[in-house]
């Protein structure tokens, strides 16, 4: 379990007392902690699969669906967990940040192809990543993007469908639509 790293990233490295209080007030840390607990229970066989249900349902009631079969590394951060959907075959590296409304899932019904996000990836609000794609280390997915192809490390995927851009290049800005 990666609770210590999750606690640090979700509580801005506060003292243990403040972090404990933050747990009861931060939906982000609650969702991440519950995911860690129900994944641990889910992996323990039939009894664990039965016992994990209340924690899983609590996360769904908060508006976040994270499959217990998803593999998530340490330092997972959900600043706003509402509307986040993480499918069962998704693999996330360490220090991944996902904002509200993000969907990580399959591209075709019945096909087991899920995204894999490397370390230090940030996915901004209302983005959709589908299919058997790899998002490289340090990459970013801009808000409202639809990504169905690989994103090289350090690049920014923006748009629908997403195009890859180097973060050092200036994005075209149009105020007239």
């Amino acid at each position: 379990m990666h609770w210590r790293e999750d606690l640090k990233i979700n509580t801005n490295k506060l003292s243990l007392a403040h972090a404990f209080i933050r747990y009861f007030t931060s939906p982000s840390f609650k969702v991440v902690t519950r995911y860690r607990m129900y994944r641990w229970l889910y992996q323990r066989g039939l009894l664990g699969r039965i016992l994990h249900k209340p924690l899983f349902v609590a996360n769904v009631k908060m508006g976040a669906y994270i499959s217990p079969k998803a593999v998530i590394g340490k330092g997972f951060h959900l600043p706003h967990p509402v509307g986040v959907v993480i499918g069962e075959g998704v693999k996330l590296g360490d220090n991944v940040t996902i904002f509200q409304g993000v969907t990580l899932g399959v591209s075709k019904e019945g096909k087991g192809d899920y995204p894999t996000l490397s370390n230090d990836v940030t996915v901004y609000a209302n983005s959709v990543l589908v299919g058997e794609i790899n998002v490289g280390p340090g990459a970013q997915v801009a808000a409202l993007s639809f990504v169905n192809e690989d994103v090289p490390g350090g690049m920014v995927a923006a748009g629908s469908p997403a195009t890859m851009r180097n973060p050092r290049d200036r994005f075209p800005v149009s105020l007239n639509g």
Side-chain angles (χ1 to χ4, degrees):
M1 303 251 198
H2 304 291
W3 291 349
R4 180 171 284 156
E5 291 85 358
D6 293 338
L7 181 66
K8 285 179 185 176
I9 199 162
N10 283 288
T11 60
N12 298 324
K13 301 179 183 176
L14 300 172
S15 69
L16 184 58
H18 284 103
F20 184 75
I21 292 168
R22 186 74 170 260
Y23 171 77
F24 292 104
T25 60
S26 169
S28 172
F29 190 62
K30 282 182 192 176
V31 168
V32 173
T33 303
R34 286 180 188 150
Y35 160 77
R36 299 277 185 218
M37 288 190 286
Y38 70 65
R39 175 160 170 80
W40 185 84
L41 286 168
Y42 186 84
Q43 294 174 323
R44 300 298 176 259
L46 182 60
L47 182 60
R49 288 190 180 131
I50 293 168
L51 295 175
H52 95 281
K53 294 288 185 198
L55 294 167
F56 180 75
V57 169
N59 268 3
V60 172
K61 282 185 177 180
M62 288 189 76
Y65 171 82
I66 305 173
S67 172
K69 295 179 182 178
V71 178
I72 299 176
K74 64 183 178 182
F76 182 47
H77 186 48
L78 288 169
H80 307 285
V82 175
V84 172
V85 177
I86 299 177
E88 63 184 34
V90 172
K91 294 179 182 80
L92 303 180
D94 297 338
N95 303 316
V96 170
T97 301
I98 296 178
F99 285 84
Q100 71 272 10
V102 170
T103 300
L104 306 174
V106 296
S107 61
K108 295 182 182 101
E109 197 63 42
K111 202 168 183 202
D113 49 355
Y114 288 87
T116 299
L117 281 63
S118 299
N119 298 339
D120 304 312
V121 170
T122 302
V123 182
Y124 290 98
N126 300 314
S127 295
V128 177
L129 288 80
V130 294
E132 191 173 350
I133 61 171
N134 291 305
V135 180
Q140 297 179 8
V141 177
L144 299 168
S145 296
F146 177 79
V147 181
N148 62 354
E149 60 184 47
D150 290 350
V151 179
M155 297 295 279
V156 175
S160 181
T163 56
M164 306 312 143
R165 298 177 185 247
N166 189 321
R168 286 178 256 137
D169 294 343
R170 293 187 60 157
F171 282 85
V173 177
S174 173
L175 298 176
N176 297 327

